[in-house]
Each structure stands twice: as structure tokens, then as C-alpha cells.
Amino acid sequence: MADFPYYLEEQTEENIMQRMLDRVPSDIDKSEGSFIWDAEAPVAFMLSEAAIWTQELLRRGFASTAASSDENFRSEDLDLRAAEHGVTRRSAVQAIGRVIFTGEPGKVIPAGTVVSTPADDVSGEASLEYETNLLATLDHTGKAEVVIHAVVAGRGSNVPAGTITILSSSVSGITGVTNPAAVTGGANIESDTSLLERFYARVRNQGTSGNKAQYMQWAGEIAGVGASRVVPLWKGPGTVGIYLLDADKRAANSEIVAAVQNYIDPTQDGQGEGTAPAGPVITVMAAEEVPLNINVQLTLASNASPEEVRTLIQKGVTAYLKQLAFSDSLVRYTRIAAILLDIPPIIDYSNLTVNGTSDKNIEIGASQVAVLGTVTVNG
């Protein structure tokens, strides 16, 4: 935080002790071990502790200094400060998705059946478990698609397609399981950084009378929402459209969309049954994902593998696209090229194309979000 007040600076036990001894007349013995010295030493210690406690009290009293930058720490003092303005920390969210079971036609899959990813013995990564939401029956082709949710809430349960392959619960007649698409929407309990941003948005950009800022505040109060965009007059007068992203800055899943819709305008008839004022009809939607497919010819260092470099490109471009989500509508070709050159194993590149074109920026619409598609590396 800013510098402490002067009266709290340099309040060490030694400095306090010396100031106290300086006020004792010089004709009195105040050497270490004397009566005066022994009487003042405990007082100096307690006063120095009081100064430390006061500094800590000041630190905890302001949102900016109460917040921690550690992603694994949650400040109770920030919770208290934010709650004074009606801002509460969002809880963790379970990832959701779908799996396809295969087996004998007509076999029943009970609700609560557990499926999982395989554990990795090399890295020590544990398997991730998911439960089915509803009872299902295999059709005449021996397949059934079922909604699942993560047993443990959090971002770690977001997994790519094809990674859930283990049937943890024993179900007669079921021979296999897989997730055809990625499992998404999982989010950790809100970090101090995110809570601080929403706190600042509330106190610095007051949302009133259903203005855009207030709709964004309402959407941001729902766990799992990573960003929102408000479109006034979405379908003409009396309509408002809200597009949502999840915590990974991807299109929000159906559960997050439904939760925000139910919170802001559950009836969508202008009666003001939710937080939105009476009059406008609010429609909440997931943003449309625009995949960016990258193809590039690379000259690599002798000890670099194309697969390793491809992973580094994916990480770099994904981080860049997250920065752009709902804040910048232009994906810059030169910025993607710069990401390539910032990767140490890449000596040079050529024939870089993004969605089949080169030297061309890509415009992202108001209802869209750019996400990474395929990355093809040619050596």
C-alpha cells in the first residue's frame, strides 16, 4: 500500500526503547540491566507490536491491499469490504458436458452413474470423476447420450473431447463411454483479483436504473460468468441482449446462461420478475465461438520437437485470445506472428495463415468470441 503515516514508520522495538531512554535524566543509571532499562524494555516491545498491529489494520481496511495476488488464497478481509457494497465472492462451479454410453440395446444407465478420466501414473495426475444427471436407456443402436457434471467443482474438471473413457460405476451391459465434446464451464471459487475488479466496478461505475453497467453487474454476480456484453435495443425498443463467456473466456454453457436468465429476467415478459426493471425483455445467450485455425511452416532448433512447439503455440495464442475476449474486436495477424517469434525453439516461420488467409486481421462481432481452433505445424 502507500507509505504508512509518519507516526507508524520505523516503530521498531529498538527505536522505541532508545526514545524512551533518551527521556530519562542523564544522572540516572539507564544501562542495560539497570532498573530503568528493565522497566522500559517490555513497554518498548508492546508498543512496537501495537505499531505492527496498526499497520496490519490499515492494510486490511482497504480493498486494494486486503486482496491477494496468490490464486490459491482468499482474503476474508476483502470479502467483508466487498460485502459492504453488496458484492459477494462467487462460489466454485461444476463443469458440465455430455458422454455417450455404448453397450447392449435397452440397457438402463441409472442416474448418478460415475464415469472418469484415466489417471496418469507418470505425472501423478489423479482421475477426474463425473456423474450422470438423469436415467438413460441405450437405444436400438446401443448408444445413449447423457448429461454429466463434475463430482468436484472447479476449473480443473474442464477436459477436452475424448478424455472421459472409464466407467467407474459397474453397469451391466455397458461396454464403453466417451465424451464427444469438451466438458466446460467449471470454475474455481472466485479469486481475490476477480472479486476486487467487480468491487471496483460496483463503486466506480455505478449501475442504476437498468443501464448497461447494471446489467453487467447482475450477470457478473452469477458463479461461472467470466465476462458479459450488453446489447441495448437488441431486437428493437424494449429488448436487451446479454452475451456471456465462462471463466475460461469461452462461450458459457447452458447452465450458466439459464442461471443468469433466471436471475435477471426469468419470465421474459417485461413484468420485472427478476433483477431487471419492468418494461424491457432480456434475452441471455452464450457468445458464438469463432475458431481460429493456424497453419504455419516453421524452422526449429535441432533439439525441438514439432509437438512440443505446437503446445507452446497453443498456450501463447490462447492467452492472447483471452485478453481480447469482449474487450477488443480485432484479432491481429501480426500479434499471432509475434507470439511465434517469442517461442525460443522457433528460429523462423513462413506461410503463416489464420483461417486460410495471411496478412489479414480478423474482425470479431459483438456477439462473438475468438477461440483457438486447430494448430498445424509443418517442419
Side-chain angles (χ1 to χ4, degrees):
M1 64 178 296
D3 293 339
F4 288 112
Y6 75 92
Y7 51 81
L8 291 178
E9 294 177 352
E10 300 182 3
Q11 297 293 354
T12 64
E13 181 181 355
E14 293 76 14
N15 289 344
I16 294 172
M17 182 67 175
Q18 188 59 55
R19 292 202 306 271
M20 293 173 67
L21 291 174
D22 289 344
R23 296 186 67 84
V24 176
S26 58
D27 58 345
I28 296 177
D29 182 13
K30 49 185 176 180
S31 60
E32 184 172 351
S34 66
F35 173 80
I36 290 295
W37 197 97
D38 289 344
E40 292 187 347
V43 178
F45 172 76
M46 294 306 298
L47 288 174
S48 67
E49 279 213 328
I52 293 173
W53 296 337
T54 305
Q55 292 173 357
E56 183 67 8
L57 184 63
L58 281 175
R59 185 190 69 78
R60 295 181 178 217
F62 296 92
S64 60
T65 49
S68 171
S69 58
D70 183 351
E71 283 293 319
N72 298 315
F73 182 79
R74 303 294 183 267
S75 170
E76 294 181 0
D77 302 293
L78 178 59
D79 286 331
L80 294 171
R81 187 74 182 90
E84 293 177 357
H85 292 267
V87 181
T88 57
R89 192 184 298 272
R90 298 182 304 211
S91 58
V93 180
Q94 294 172 309
I96 66 168
R98 293 179 177 270
V99 293
I100 295 177
F101 289 95
T102 55
E104 298 177 23
K107 288 295 182 179
V108 174
I109 304 164
T113 298
V114 178
V115 295
S116 63
T117 62
D120 190 331
D121 294 332
V122 176
S123 66
E125 184 177 346
S127 63
L128 302 172
E129 293 187 329
Y130 305 82
E131 283 185 340
T132 58
N133 289 0
L134 301 170
L135 180 145
T137 303
L138 299 187
D139 61 18
H140 68 282
T141 66
K143 294 183 179 180
E145 188 173 37
V146 187
V147 175
I148 57 169
H149 66 269
V151 173
V152 178
R155 196 171 181 176
S157 293
N158 296 331
V159 295
T163 52
I164 300 174
T165 57
I166 295 176
L167 184 65
S168 301
S169 298
S170 177
V171 182
S172 174
I174 303 302
T175 58
V177 63
T178 189
N179 57 312
V183 177
T184 63
N188 296 334
I189 184 171
E190 189 173 18
S191 67
D192 280 4
T193 302
S194 174
L195 179 58
L196 182 63
E197 288 176 357
R198 291 200 300 118
F199 171 78
Y200 282 156
R202 172 66 64 89
V203 299
R204 294 175 177 175
N205 188 16
Q206 294 292 327
T208 58
S209 305
N211 61 3
K212 289 176 64 174
Q214 192 161 40
Y215 282 110
M216 293 176 68
Q217 288 176 10
W218 287 330
E221 290 169 4
I222 301 300
V225 174
S228 63
R229 171 165 284 164
V230 178
V231 182
L233 307 177
W234 176 63
K235 293 291 184 180
T239 66
V240 176
I242 302 177
Y243 294 97
L244 299 180
L245 302 179
D246 65 15
D248 287 327
K249 301 302 174 66
R250 303 287 301 258
N253 62 38
S254 58
E255 286 196 2
I256 295 174
V257 171
V260 175
Q261 182 72 67
N262 190 61
Y263 182 59
I264 296 178
D265 187 9
T267 56
Q268 292 186 273
D269 57 6
Q271 296 301 306
E273 296 294 335
T275 55
V281 174
I282 318 304
T283 303
V284 181
M285 302 154 285
E288 176 193 353
E289 293 190 348
V290 179
L292 300 185
N293 301 312
I294 298 173
N295 192 303
V296 63
Q297 186 85 21
L298 296 178
T299 302
L300 303 179
S302 58
N303 60 345
S305 71
E307 187 59 33
E308 176 186 346
V309 170
R310 190 171 76 90
T311 300
L312 293 173
I313 294 173
Q314 289 173 330
K315 289 181 178 178
V317 175
T318 298
Y320 168 57
L321 296 181
K322 283 184 178 181
Q323 295 175 0
L324 298 183
F326 280 4
S327 63
D328 191 336
S329 62
L330 203 62
V331 179
R332 291 165 175 79
Y333 176 90
T334 54
R335 185 68 185 87
I336 293 177
I339 291 171
L340 298 179
L341 294 178
D342 284 341
I343 297 174
I346 297 178
I347 296 174
D348 202 359
Y349 75 90
S350 61
N351 301 325
L352 170 64
T353 63
V354 181
N355 285 357
T357 63
S358 59
D359 294 320
K360 182 180 179 181
N361 297 330
I362 296 177
E363 187 79 26
I364 303 299
S367 63
Q368 298 175 324
V369 60
V371 299
L372 182 63
T374 60
V375 176
T376 303
V377 173
N378 304 302

